[in-house]
Amino acid sequence: MLLPLPLDGAYDYLVPDDTNVKPGDFVTVPLGPRLLTGVVWGEGSADVDEGRLKPIAEILPARPMPSDLRQLVDWVASYTLSPPGSVLRMAMRVPDALLPARPVTGWRITEAGQLTLEKAEGLTGARRRVLEILVDGAAYPAAELARLGACGTGVVKGLAEKGMIGSVEIPARLPPPIPDWRVQGPILSPNQETAAEALVDKVRQGGFGVTLLDGVTGSGKTEVYFAAIAAALEQGRQVLVLLPEIALSGQWLQRFSRRFGVGPVEWHSDLSHTERRAAWRAVAEGQAQVVVGARSALFLPFPDLGLIVVDEEHDQSFKQEEGVIYHARDMAVVRASLLKRPIVLVSATPSLETLQNVEQGRYECLHLPARHGEAQLPTIRLVDMRREKPERQKFISPPLVAALTETLAAGEQAMLFLNRRGYAPLTLCRTCGHRMQCPNCTAWLVEHRFLGTLQCHHCGHAERIPKACPSCEDEGSFAACGPGVERLAEEVALRFPEARVAVMASDTMIGPRAIGELVRGVEDHAIDLLIGTQVMAKGHHFPMLTLVGVVDADLGLAGGDLRAAERTYQLLHQVAGRAGREERPGIVLLQTFMPEHPVMQALVQGGRDRFLAAEAEGRQHHGMPPFGRLAAIIISGPDDDSADFTARAFARSSPQMPGIDVLGPAPAPLAILRGRHRRRFLVKAKKTINLQAVLRDWLKRVKTPNSVRVQVDIDPYSFL
Ligand code: ADP
Ligand code: ZN
């Protein structure tokens, strides 16, 4: 029995003689004074005295957890060094979905009712309306019936008392609508056709295989993998599509509906509990044919998954950084291998990890080298900010101003990209130099002028902007340093008072509906100039958008993290890919202080492969991923002393062996986060070393006080 709790492993329970359980069954069992729901994990160990075991309490009426999902739970637990119960928890997000939904009472017309209606005698208008609604034999709950008949529920009650309608049980939840794979997609270009056929073949043959679909932005990758989805549906199998930010994927959902007649089943954090419960159950019962979701959808109990697609496979939001720290793309590959089914990774800028796997022949690769139809890739130019200086306290350089003017005059749309929310990333006092800092974190507070607050983007701390400097008490002495999207909007409003401007950042866009509205605004050309952060970079297709200006192309290169260059390239390429997606050609201007930087040069020259080869060479030279293995250990305590004490204990017993390098302990760049004081180790290992075994052994040798937390991050992406 595995319980969804951070325990050491599975627990043994007694199975009463008259019951039959098999692995995967959901059962309730006593644990101390509580009854908990868990999953039958296996036979149990023979060396426990039967007399001391407690019996299981109940077997729940749900389909057993599929064996590939149980294997995945064990696999992820062992890979990430997490308790298996913590991983199981992710696969049991909606415990009440394990019980069948209670049926609801519906009302249906009786023979007496039919007769009365035909004779049309002694019926009030309201009663007649209600009977007419029911005349074709359908059943509705009372409230629904009253709504349809525009009357009170008293009318329904009255009809029931007269025996003209009778009650029936109707299922609480209808299965999700079935996508129609027979609908013809668009006619594919020869390149697209070749790629689609290859994917369709893989789906038909079944069997495990990873395919990278590598195509420039706008080349029709989505159309191509839709063909593979259709093939899986034709076989009657389920499909899982992982998208990095499902809340931002309105356009994707629309396209899916246009292609398959109905929308997919969605799985993400914006669902209500009822929706979540319905979705989980529909997946478990095999009724949900296509599920599109964020990373946690990977742990849904598909009984018959035929295909997994990971779109934007390079995207970092697939890495979960809290709780069980795992990478959904990598674990999706694991699930596909356990299932023995194909998986497709899709990107215009594949990760170095994935390209390395292609190089080594572990993954296959399909290319889509050109944009669909007449559309051309945009022209990318650099603006050297050392020479093209903006005016004081302004951030848009003269060449970008000129390009914006031209684009707006031509009646086309433009986008300014700045990956920084709020008004200004730093606020300081002009009198004494005091900088406004988060009380819980080693981080500056970001001014959000629109809300009148200073916010910490790491812990969520927010305070009103004070009148006077907390240090020297001078009033009106604050100066904003650097731009955020709000400040950029201010500059644009001054410069282009006629333009209709909108800002799209995750804090101004509350929820998917608001995002959808904004996207529609751009599509309908109710907006001329869009200012956006990263949320704007992904996936959107705007035919009239011809100019993209990147305000600070260097932003992601600071900090020196392992993937800074790769990530900057991916992001800027993605942003640039928004321009000129149909017949009007696109232009992209990148404002940079480092025009000679390899990332900038690769973007301008379209030299992706050369750039990635150079990146790969650098990583190989330093034994970094994907050529070596990496793990981080983060120790955090309530104060400096406790964090240091445990960090020293770890240092004393750190693994000493060839092929392993332990770096640290060092204060984390975010030395204090949410009030916890943090120390980091980085462990570098040769590919041939079983890093997990080494770490497990190390962790066992160190005693940590209760107030100190130790987190293990295998394949770290964040180095803060
Ligand atoms: P990607 O996923 O590679 O960015 P998309 O699949 O979004 O590319 O395609 C870009 C645009 O081109 C979309 O509007 C899509 O509908 C259109 N498109 C792609 N392939 C075709 C095709 N074969 N016929 C018609 N339209 C296509
Ligand atoms: Zn903070």
Side-chain angles (χ1 to χ4, degrees), residues 438 440-441 456 459:
C438 175
N440 314 319
C441 306
C456 172
C459 72

Side-chain angles (χ1 to χ4, degrees), residues 324-356:
V324 177
I325 301 177
Y326 70 96
H327 199 302
R329 174 200 59 215
D330 298 345
M331 296 308 120
V333 171
V334 172
R335 187 158 189 188
S337 79
L338 294 169
L339 268 170
K340 306 195 176 55
R341 298 275 182 231
I343 176 168
V344 186
L345 309 180
V346 184
S347 179
T349 52
S351 63
L352 227 48
E353 278 75 7
T354 295
L355 288 172
Q356 184 59 21

Side-chain angles (χ1 to χ4, degrees), residues 12-15 44-55:
D12 285 334
Y13 283 89
L14 200 64
V15 181
S45 46
D47 57 351
V48 189
D49 177 10
E50 279 210 7
R52 303 184 48 186
L53 290 181
K54 289 192 192 158

Side-chain angles (χ1 to χ4, degrees), residues 392-396 418-428 435 444-449 478-491 551-552 555 593:
R392 266 199 79 230
Q393 298 291 321
K394 297 273 186 295
F395 304 93
I396 307 177
L418 176 61
N419 207 9
R420 229 192 230 142
R421 294 184 286 132
Y423 186 83
L426 171 65
T427 302
L428 59 75
R435 297 167 169 218
W444 307 130
L445 289 174
V446 179
E447 180 184 354
H448 286 244
R449 194 162 282 189
F478 286 134
C481 300
V485 283
E486 286 181 16
R487 194 170 192 181
L488 207 55
E490 198 177 83
E491 181 174 345
V551 175
D552 185 354
L555 195 56
F593 284 92

